[in-house]
Amino acid sequence: MEEALSQKMNEFMSVIDQVKKYRALLSALPDIAIIMCLALVGVFAAKVWYNLSLIFYIPIFGISTILPFLFVAGGLVAAVFWGYRKMKKVKLGEWKHALNDDAPGAIKLLQSINWEETFKDIRYAKLGFWLYGILRTAIAWLITYSIIMVVAQYLNRVIYLNVNLQLVALFSLALVLALSVNDFKKRFDQIGRLDALLWELRWFDNELRRNPFQT
Amino acid sequence: MNSGETLSKPDLYVLARVIKTLKEKNRLNKTALATVTGLSYDRLVKYLNWMQSKGFIQYDLNDDVVLTKLGSETYDQLVKWILEHIGRVRFQKI
């Protein structure tokens, strides 16, 4: 019975750890927003530079065409790296040694959980899920767009096929969204599970407070 | 500190540790029990007084602490209670 309790507690604490990770990702949101804003400023600056080069006849050797793309790609990579770094910083599994103590260890862990903080983390983790999904989609879009652009440029050289950039962007976005349907569905289910977990934990917290062994 | 004081609200974790130790070692003197459970002697005595008043432990002729059947059953009940409640919470992988 004590082993079963340790196993259940292990599962429970692992879920709490995962919640903490997504919560950390959400806390990186302001940094990610700043990184993306800087990338957009870079794109804007590249455009201004391109226009100035036309006015003042400055040779730019075609760099202006890939510069905005580099800024967007760099911004996305930096944003993902930053989010990943924040998630990696979360200390996980610190509770594991307590479970060596079997039932008393499980009791200690249950007593040490800050339930209100955990409920708050779960609420924020739900937003973290969406942020993670959006970032993933944005990166997939960028990669798809790059691949299609390379193919389009090749076609342009070989059969003089002129491809509209906006159309490529829209097509790649539609393609990524169509391929991400399952991921979105999974993400939606996960949020449902988090909601269920929140309610179950509220109930458990209530039961723990009025357990018959306290007095 | 007065060792004869009784506890108003015992810590569930400490109770579980004392009972688990007694279940494993069968009988122990207070000093050894305090060492094994990592409690100060005075604090342990408070807990033992409380547990004795509830009938969870008793002392043998050598003044060693012995877990009663009620104490053992209560501990099992506690573990069962937590397992039942924890088991009812659904922990699907996120």
PDB file of all heavy atoms in Angstrom, chain A residues 84-101:
ATOM      1  N   TYR A  84      12.874  28.578 -23.719  1.00  0.00           N
ATOM      2  CA  TYR A  84      13.438  27.271 -23.366  1.00  0.00           C
ATOM      3  C   TYR A  84      14.351  27.405 -22.145  1.00  0.00           C
ATOM      4  O   TYR A  84      14.311  26.585 -21.233  1.00  0.00           O
ATOM      5  CB  TYR A  84      14.216  26.735 -24.566  1.00  0.00           C
ATOM      6  CG  TYR A  84      14.812  25.371 -24.360  1.00  0.00           C
ATOM      7  CD1 TYR A  84      13.999  24.230 -24.331  1.00  0.00           C
ATOM      8  CD2 TYR A  84      16.178  25.204 -24.190  1.00  0.00           C
ATOM      9  CE1 TYR A  84      14.545  22.985 -24.130  1.00  0.00           C
ATOM     10  CE2 TYR A  84      16.728  23.954 -23.988  1.00  0.00           C
ATOM     11  CZ  TYR A  84      15.914  22.843 -23.959  1.00  0.00           C
ATOM     12  OH  TYR A  84      16.451  21.607 -23.755  1.00  0.00           O
ATOM     13  N   ARG A  85      15.138  28.499 -22.143  1.00  0.00           N
ATOM     14  CA  ARG A  85      16.072  28.751 -21.037  1.00  0.00           C
ATOM     15  C   ARG A  85      15.302  28.927 -19.720  1.00  0.00           C
ATOM     16  O   ARG A  85      15.684  28.404 -18.680  1.00  0.00           O
ATOM     17  CB  ARG A  85      16.871  30.006 -21.371  1.00  0.00           C
ATOM     18  CG  ARG A  85      18.081  30.220 -20.508  1.00  0.00           C
ATOM     19  CD  ARG A  85      18.937  31.339 -21.056  1.00  0.00           C
ATOM     20  NE  ARG A  85      19.786  31.878 -20.022  1.00  0.00           N
ATOM     21  CZ  ARG A  85      19.494  32.955 -19.305  1.00  0.00           C
ATOM     22  NH1 ARG A  85      18.391  33.618 -19.532  1.00  0.00           N
ATOM     23  NH2 ARG A  85      20.309  33.373 -18.371  1.00  0.00           N
ATOM     24  N   LYS A  86      14.207  29.682 -19.807  1.00  0.00           N
ATOM     25  CA  LYS A  86      13.371  29.914 -18.614  1.00  0.00           C
ATOM     26  C   LYS A  86      12.781  28.604 -18.098  1.00  0.00           C
ATOM     27  O   LYS A  86      12.707  28.371 -16.896  1.00  0.00           O
ATOM     28  CB  LYS A  86      12.230  30.886 -18.964  1.00  0.00           C
ATOM     29  CG  LYS A  86      12.670  32.330 -19.032  1.00  0.00           C
ATOM     30  CD  LYS A  86      12.401  33.022 -17.708  1.00  0.00           C
ATOM     31  CE  LYS A  86      12.837  34.465 -17.766  1.00  0.00           C
ATOM     32  NZ  LYS A  86      12.593  35.159 -16.521  1.00  0.00           N
ATOM     33  N   MET A  87      12.349  27.753 -19.055  1.00  0.00           N
ATOM     34  CA  MET A  87      11.754  26.481 -18.661  1.00  0.00           C
ATOM     35  C   MET A  87      12.805  25.553 -18.047  1.00  0.00           C
ATOM     36  O   MET A  87      12.517  24.811 -17.116  1.00  0.00           O
ATOM     37  CB  MET A  87      11.106  25.798 -19.866  1.00  0.00           C
ATOM     38  CG  MET A  87       9.737  26.363 -20.209  1.00  0.00           C
ATOM     39  SD  MET A  87       9.157  25.799 -21.801  1.00  0.00           S
ATOM     40  CE  MET A  87       8.337  24.304 -21.355  1.00  0.00           C
ATOM     41  N   LYS A  88      14.028  25.616 -18.585  1.00  0.00           N
ATOM     42  CA  LYS A  88      15.099  24.761 -18.079  1.00  0.00           C
ATOM     43  C   LYS A  88      15.536  25.167 -16.671  1.00  0.00           C
ATOM     44  O   LYS A  88      16.049  24.356 -15.915  1.00  0.00           O
ATOM     45  CB  LYS A  88      16.325  24.844 -19.009  1.00  0.00           C
ATOM     46  CG  LYS A  88      16.217  23.994 -20.254  1.00  0.00           C
ATOM     47  CD  LYS A  88      16.350  22.520 -19.983  1.00  0.00           C
ATOM     48  CE  LYS A  88      17.780  22.054 -20.136  1.00  0.00           C
ATOM     49  NZ  LYS A  88      17.861  20.576 -19.983  1.00  0.00           N
ATOM     50  N   LYS A  89      15.318  26.450 -16.359  1.00  0.00           N
ATOM     51  CA  LYS A  89      15.740  26.965 -15.046  1.00  0.00           C
ATOM     52  C   LYS A  89      14.872  26.435 -13.901  1.00  0.00           C
ATOM     53  O   LYS A  89      15.275  26.484 -12.746  1.00  0.00           O
ATOM     54  CB  LYS A  89      15.681  28.494 -15.056  1.00  0.00           C
ATOM     55  CG  LYS A  89      17.008  29.149 -15.395  1.00  0.00           C
ATOM     56  CD  LYS A  89      16.929  30.628 -15.152  1.00  0.00           C
ATOM     57  CE  LYS A  89      18.237  31.303 -15.425  1.00  0.00           C
ATOM     58  NZ  LYS A  89      18.109  32.764 -15.305  1.00  0.00           N
ATOM     59  N   VAL A  90      13.675  25.966 -14.246  1.00  0.00           N
ATOM     60  CA  VAL A  90      12.750  25.485 -13.204  1.00  0.00           C
ATOM     61  C   VAL A  90      13.338  24.229 -12.564  1.00  0.00           C
ATOM     62  O   VAL A  90      13.741  23.297 -13.263  1.00  0.00           O
ATOM     63  CB  VAL A  90      11.361  25.171 -13.814  1.00  0.00           C
ATOM     64  CG1 VAL A  90      10.423  24.604 -12.767  1.00  0.00           C
ATOM     65  CG2 VAL A  90      10.762  26.420 -14.420  1.00  0.00           C
ATOM     66  N   LYS A  91      13.407  24.249 -11.254  1.00  0.00           N
ATOM     67  CA  LYS A  91      13.969  23.090 -10.558  1.00  0.00           C
ATOM     68  C   LYS A  91      12.902  21.997 -10.479  1.00  0.00           C
ATOM     69  O   LYS A  91      11.838  22.221  -9.898  1.00  0.00           O
ATOM     70  CB  LYS A  91      14.432  23.496  -9.165  1.00  0.00           C
ATOM     71  CG  LYS A  91      15.691  24.327  -9.206  1.00  0.00           C
ATOM     72  CD  LYS A  91      16.091  24.804  -7.841  1.00  0.00           C
ATOM     73  CE  LYS A  91      17.304  25.715  -7.953  1.00  0.00           C
ATOM     74  NZ  LYS A  91      17.508  26.485  -6.732  1.00  0.00           N
ATOM     75  N   LEU A  92      13.229  20.865 -11.057  1.00  0.00           N
ATOM     76  CA  LEU A  92      12.262  19.768 -11.086  1.00  0.00           C
ATOM     77  C   LEU A  92      12.742  18.588 -10.233  1.00  0.00           C
ATOM     78  O   LEU A  92      13.937  18.403 -10.063  1.00  0.00           O
ATOM     79  CB  LEU A  92      12.045  19.288 -12.527  1.00  0.00           C
ATOM     80  CG  LEU A  92      11.626  20.344 -13.548  1.00  0.00           C
ATOM     81  CD1 LEU A  92      11.584  19.753 -14.937  1.00  0.00           C
ATOM     82  CD2 LEU A  92      10.265  20.912 -13.194  1.00  0.00           C
ATOM     83  N   GLY A  93      11.788  17.833  -9.757  1.00  0.00           N
ATOM     84  CA  GLY A  93      12.103  16.583  -9.062  1.00  0.00           C
ATOM     85  C   GLY A  93      12.774  16.742  -7.709  1.00  0.00           C
ATOM     86  O   GLY A  93      13.354  15.783  -7.191  1.00  0.00           O
ATOM     87  N   GLU A  94      12.684  17.966  -7.130  1.00  0.00           N
ATOM     88  CA  GLU A  94      13.318  18.167  -5.822  1.00  0.00           C
ATOM     89  C   GLU A  94      12.638  17.350  -4.726  1.00  0.00           C
ATOM     90  O   GLU A  94      13.193  17.172  -3.659  1.00  0.00           O
ATOM     91  CB  GLU A  94      13.268  19.654  -5.457  1.00  0.00           C
ATOM     92  CG  GLU A  94      14.293  20.478  -6.199  1.00  0.00           C
ATOM     93  CD  GLU A  94      14.279  21.921  -5.760  1.00  0.00           C
ATOM     94  OE1 GLU A  94      13.179  22.473  -5.594  1.00  0.00           O
ATOM     95  OE2 GLU A  94      15.369  22.497  -5.596  1.00  0.00           O
ATOM     96  N   TRP A  95      11.437  16.911  -5.036  1.00  0.00           N
ATOM     97  CA  TRP A  95      10.624  16.182  -4.069  1.00  0.00           C
ATOM     98  C   TRP A  95      10.976  14.699  -4.030  1.00  0.00           C
ATOM     99  O   TRP A  95      10.540  13.977  -3.140  1.00  0.00           O
ATOM    100  CB  TRP A  95       9.148  16.351  -4.433  1.00  0.00           C
ATOM    101  CG  TRP A  95       8.917  16.256  -5.909  1.00  0.00           C
ATOM    102  CD1 TRP A  95       8.902  17.284  -6.809  1.00  0.00           C
ATOM    103  CD2 TRP A  95       8.722  15.067  -6.687  1.00  0.00           C
ATOM    104  NE1 TRP A  95       8.702  16.809  -8.087  1.00  0.00           N
ATOM    105  CE2 TRP A  95       8.591  15.458  -8.042  1.00  0.00           C
ATOM    106  CE3 TRP A  95       8.642  13.710  -6.363  1.00  0.00           C
ATOM    107  CZ2 TRP A  95       8.382  14.546  -9.069  1.00  0.00           C
ATOM    108  CZ3 TRP A  95       8.434  12.798  -7.393  1.00  0.00           C
ATOM    109  CH2 TRP A  95       8.311  13.225  -8.721  1.00  0.00           C
ATOM    110  N   LYS A  96      11.740  14.240  -5.026  1.00  0.00           N
ATOM    111  CA  LYS A  96      11.943  12.784  -5.184  1.00  0.00           C
ATOM    112  C   LYS A  96      12.533  12.108  -3.947  1.00  0.00           C
ATOM    113  O   LYS A  96      12.115  11.010  -3.593  1.00  0.00           O
ATOM    114  CB  LYS A  96      12.808  12.512  -6.411  1.00  0.00           C
ATOM    115  CG  LYS A  96      11.955  12.501  -7.669  1.00  0.00           C
ATOM    116  CD  LYS A  96      12.689  12.140  -8.894  1.00  0.00           C
ATOM    117  CE  LYS A  96      11.708  12.162 -10.072  1.00  0.00           C
ATOM    118  NZ  LYS A  96      12.331  12.326 -11.351  1.00  0.00           N
ATOM    119  N   HIS A  97      13.510  12.788  -3.311  1.00  0.00           N
ATOM    120  CA  HIS A  97      14.155  12.153  -2.151  1.00  0.00           C
ATOM    121  C   HIS A  97      13.160  11.943  -1.005  1.00  0.00           C
ATOM    122  O   HIS A  97      13.275  11.002  -0.233  1.00  0.00           O
ATOM    123  CB  HIS A  97      15.358  12.970  -1.690  1.00  0.00           C
ATOM    124  CG  HIS A  97      14.988  14.295  -1.111  1.00  0.00           C
ATOM    125  ND1 HIS A  97      14.735  15.395  -1.898  1.00  0.00           N
ATOM    126  CD2 HIS A  97      14.791  14.672   0.174  1.00  0.00           C
ATOM    127  CE1 HIS A  97      14.418  16.402  -1.106  1.00  0.00           C
ATOM    128  NE2 HIS A  97      14.449  15.998   0.147  1.00  0.00           N
ATOM    129  N   ALA A  98      12.150  12.843  -0.934  1.00  0.00           N
ATOM    130  CA  ALA A  98      11.161  12.730   0.154  1.00  0.00           C
ATOM    131  C   ALA A  98      10.357  11.436   0.040  1.00  0.00           C
ATOM    132  O   ALA A  98       9.918  10.877   1.050  1.00  0.00           O
ATOM    133  CB  ALA A  98      10.222  13.922   0.137  1.00  0.00           C
ATOM    134  N   LEU A  99      10.198  10.971  -1.210  1.00  0.00           N
ATOM    135  CA  LEU A  99       9.384   9.761  -1.399  1.00  0.00           C
ATOM    136  C   LEU A  99      10.111   8.483  -0.973  1.00  0.00           C
ATOM    137  O   LEU A  99       9.489   7.427  -0.880  1.00  0.00           O
ATOM    138  CB  LEU A  99       8.921   9.654  -2.853  1.00  0.00           C
ATOM    139  CG  LEU A  99       7.807  10.627  -3.251  1.00  0.00           C
ATOM    140  CD1 LEU A  99       7.382  10.406  -4.681  1.00  0.00           C
ATOM    141  CD2 LEU A  99       6.602  10.496  -2.330  1.00  0.00           C
ATOM    142  N   ASN A 100      11.422   8.598  -0.690  1.00  0.00           N
ATOM    143  CA  ASN A 100      12.139   7.423  -0.171  1.00  0.00           C
ATOM    144  C   ASN A 100      11.602   7.038   1.205  1.00  0.00           C
ATOM    145  O   ASN A 100      11.792   5.927   1.678  1.00  0.00           O
ATOM    146  CB  ASN A 100      13.646   7.729  -0.038  1.00  0.00           C
ATOM    147  CG  ASN A 100      14.274   7.963  -1.396  1.00  0.00           C
ATOM    148  OD1 ASN A 100      13.756   7.499  -2.400  1.00  0.00           O
ATOM    149  ND2 ASN A 100      15.369   8.693  -1.421  1.00  0.00           N
ATOM    150  N   ASP A 101      10.957   8.030   1.830  1.00  0.00           N
ATOM    151  CA  ASP A 101      10.411   7.859   3.178  1.00  0.00           C
ATOM    152  C   ASP A 101       9.019   7.232   3.157  1.00  0.00           C
ATOM    153  O   ASP A 101       8.340   7.187   4.178  1.00  0.00           O
ATOM    154  CB  ASP A 101      10.342   9.251   3.833  1.00  0.00           C
ATOM    155  CG  ASP A 101      10.777   9.212   5.271  1.00  0.00           C
ATOM    156  OD1 ASP A 101      11.129   8.117   5.723  1.00  0.00           O
ATOM    157  OD2 ASP A 101      10.744  10.268   5.926  1.00  0.00           O
TER     158      ASP A 101
END
